[in-house]
């Protein structure tokens, strides 16, 4: 429509020349748009760095889809994550995160530190996350770094993490001390009824992927993109 209006507004004697130029310009403009965003747009690169809550979380595809629709650009989420690992392992994986050159890094590394049988003290966990955040800030100064608290634990998986909230608080404090971001997903999980929460997290620690997508992805989209996107 804009091209037609510009052509009609041109002087009669110049319409042929204007028409050719406008036709070519409009052809280029419309050919670059596909699926709501420009074909040539660089993807927003996100690295999710964490434990099994990331490695088998299942929320990453929903985050890609929702955030891409909101931002009108491609979004690619990669994971550097391993089930059962602690922040001691994560310290050795920073090179992998840096190599991906992400725009955004999502971090959850407290869950296994907090288990009694891993023997990662609160002080050690705090030091590890601090070292990780320092390295990422230094080596990826333009990246947004977002530390996360994930879902609540229950049953035996909760019993072996009696001080998990202290570990979350320590990681949050290290993030905020550096001026970094923190997202707490636990309140959204806790809005579920006890029965729904038990169904959503049947083993007491790992949410079902569909529920993880419904709880985690919208919160991250809102945090990353602001309130400009609807649910």
């Amino acid at each position: 429509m804009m091209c037609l209006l510009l052509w009609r507004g041109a002087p009669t004697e110049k319409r042929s020349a204007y028409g050719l130029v406008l036709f070519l310009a409009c052809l280029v403009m419309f050919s670059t748009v596909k699926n709501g965003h420009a074909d040539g747009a660089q993807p927003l690169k996100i690295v999710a760095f964490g434990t099994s809550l990331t490695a088998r979380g299942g929320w990453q595809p929903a985050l890609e889809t929702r955030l891409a629709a909101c931002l009108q650009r491609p979004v690619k989420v990669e994971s550097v994550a391993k089930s059962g690992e602690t922040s001691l392992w994560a310290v050795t994986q920073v090179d992998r995160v840096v190599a991906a050159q992400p725009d955004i890094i999502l971090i959850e590394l407290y869950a296994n530190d907090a288990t009694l049988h891993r023997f990662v003290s609160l002080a050690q966990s705090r030091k590890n996350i601090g070292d990780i955040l320092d390295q990422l800030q230094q080596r990826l100064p333009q990246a947004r770094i977002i530390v996360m608290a994930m879902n609540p634990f229950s049953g035996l998986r909760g019993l072996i993490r009696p001080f998990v909230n202290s570990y979350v608080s320590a990681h949050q404090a290290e993030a905020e001390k550096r001026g970094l971001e923190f997202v707490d997903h636990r309140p959204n999980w806790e809005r579920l009824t006890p029965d729904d929460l038990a169904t959503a997290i049947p083993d007491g620690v790992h949410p079902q992927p569909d529920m993880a997508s419904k709880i985690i992805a919208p919160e991250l989209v809102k945090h990353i993109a602001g309130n400009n996107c609807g649910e």
Side-chain angles (χ1 to χ4, degrees):
M1 179 63 71
M2 180 62 69
C3 297
L4 180 59
L5 290 173
L6 288 171
W7 181 78
R8 284 178 174 174
T12 303
E13 64 274 12
K14 294 185 178 180
R15 280 188 180 178
S16 295
Y18 271 112
L20 179 59
V21 171
L22 287 170
F23 172 77
L24 293 174
C26 292
L27 185 64
V28 170
M29 179 179 69
F30 286 116
S31 67
T32 60
V33 177
K34 182 181 180 181
N35 295 329
H37 53 254
D39 270 344
Q42 287 295 314
L44 180 73
K45 294 186 67 176
I46 299 175
V47 167
F49 188 18
T51 66
S52 58
L53 300 178
T54 293
R56 54 185 281 192
W59 46 266
Q60 293 92 326
L63 175 59
E64 286 182 338
T65 301
R66 286 172 173 265
L67 193 56
C70 172
L71 299 179
Q72 294 293 289
R73 65 179 289 193
V75 175
K76 177 64 177 176
V77 181
E78 301 175 10
S79 295
V80 175
K82 190 173 181 181
S83 297
E85 288 294 352
T86 68
S87 61
L88 294 167
W89 165 84
V91 169
T92 72
Q93 303 301 306
V94 172
D95 286 347
R96 290 177 60 195
V97 177
V98 173
Q101 291 294 294
D103 301 295
I104 297 172
I105 308 164
L106 305 174
I107 302 176
E108 53 86 11
L109 290 169
Y110 63 89
N112 295 322
D113 287 11
T115 57
L116 295 175
H117 63 284
R118 297 305 173 89
F119 304 107
V120 180
S121 69
L122 182 60
Q124 183 66 60
S125 182
R126 186 164 190 159
K127 180 182 184 303
N128 291 344
I129 191 65
D131 290 345
I132 289 166
L133 296 177
D134 284 342
Q135 286 196 59
L136 292 174
Q137 275 195 301
Q138 181 180 5
R139 299 170 67 182
L140 296 168
Q142 303 305 316
R144 285 180 69 178
I145 301 173
I146 303 172
V147 175
M148 301 189 296
M150 304 302 278
N151 50 277
F153 303 119
S154 64
L156 178 61
R157 306 296 183 96
L159 290 175
I160 63 174
R161 295 173 171 88
F163 309 113
V164 64
N165 290 337
S166 296
Y167 283 76
V168 171
S169 296
H171 286 217
Q172 178 181 1
E174 290 301 307
E176 292 177 348
K177 183 167 73 175
R178 292 163 174 80
L180 302 176
E181 301 168 57
F182 178 76
V183 172
D184 192 346
H185 297 289
R186 293 172 299 173
N188 288 331
W189 286 104
E190 290 163 356
R191 290 189 182 97
L192 300 178
T193 67
D195 287 346
D196 287 344
L197 187 61
T199 300
I201 312 176
D203 70 354
V205 64
H206 301 106
Q208 299 281 38
D210 61 332
M211 284 302 299
S213 297
K214 291 177 182 177
I215 297 290
I216 294 171
E219 186 68 22
L220 286 175
V221 170
K222 181 173 67 176
H223 185 86
I224 292 169
N227 295 318
N228 299 320
C229 298
E231 291 291 325

